[in-house]
């Protein structure tokens, strides 16, 4: 995926130290091409400081470049801080999935 979507591999740095990471890709879901956030992570001391909103904006701009009409991610139902960020960004829970553990699939139309 790095070769196909090199701008989708994002390392977030502060003072040249990595503080987070995001992985974005375009994939098929139920017959449609969608954007997909494979990984969204900030180290704990940088959470709730507005960086998550910046990352969401980056992801949405990335997906718009590929002309997808929506994007998804999956999140643990226990991760209320992340769910709050995603909900405040306009994402909605579309269903619960269970592979190794239960997760919510969330989506946003662009």
């Amino acid at each position: 995926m790095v070769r196909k979507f090199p701008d989708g591999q994002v390392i977030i740095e502060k003072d040249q130290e990595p503080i987070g990471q995001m992985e974005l890709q375009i994939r098929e879901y139920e017959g449609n091409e969608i954007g997909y956030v494979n990984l969204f992570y900030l180290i704990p001391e940088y959470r709730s400081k507005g960086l998550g909103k910046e990352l969401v904006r980056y992801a949405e701009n990335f997906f718009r470049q590929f002309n997808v009409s929506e994007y998804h991610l999956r999140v643990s139902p226990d991760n209320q801080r992340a769910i709050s960020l995603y909900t405040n960004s306009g994402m909605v829970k579309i269903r619960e999935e269970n592979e190794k553990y239960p997760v919510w699939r969330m989506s946003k139309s662009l």
Side-chain angles (χ1 to χ4, degrees):
M1 282 296 147
V2 174
R3 276 193 210 119
K4 194 168 182 183
F5 305 108
D7 293 337
Q9 304 299 311
V10 180
I11 301 295
I12 299 92
E13 294 181 339
K14 179 167 175 65
D15 302 325
Q16 300 177 331
E17 290 292 320
I19 61 167
Q21 183 176 359
M22 190 167 61
E23 292 179 8
L24 310 171
Q25 58 186 224
I26 308 301
R27 62 164 58 169
E28 189 175 308
Y29 178 75
E30 296 182 346
N32 297 311
E33 271 201 342
I34 63 162
Y36 188 77
V37 180
N38 197 47
L39 175 67
F40 192 119
Y41 180 77
L42 284 169
I43 62 174
E45 54 266 37
Y46 288 95
R47 296 175 188 165
S48 299
K49 298 187 183 310
L51 292 173
K53 290 177 190 167
E54 285 186 47
L55 293 177
V56 168
R57 274 194 297 277
Y58 180 94
E60 291 179 359
N61 288 332
F62 174 86
F63 294 137
R64 284 185 183 104
Q65 292 174 19
F66 292 93
N67 297 313
V68 294
S69 61
E70 70 179 296
Y71 71 98
H72 294 189
L73 55 73
R74 297 189 316 164
V75 60
S76 166
D78 298 330
N79 191 344
Q80 288 302 311
R81 178 180 267 167
I83 290 169
S84 177
L85 169 67
Y86 305 146
T87 301
N88 290 337
S89 299
M91 298 195 84
V92 294
K93 174 183 168 187
I94 55 174
R95 70 182 200 205
E96 293 182 25
E97 298 178 347
N98 194 346
E99 291 178 4
K100 293 179 187 147
Y101 50 88
V103 294
W104 289 2
R105 180 176 285 265
M106 297 186 76
S107 168
K108 181 177 179 182
S109 295
L110 296 174

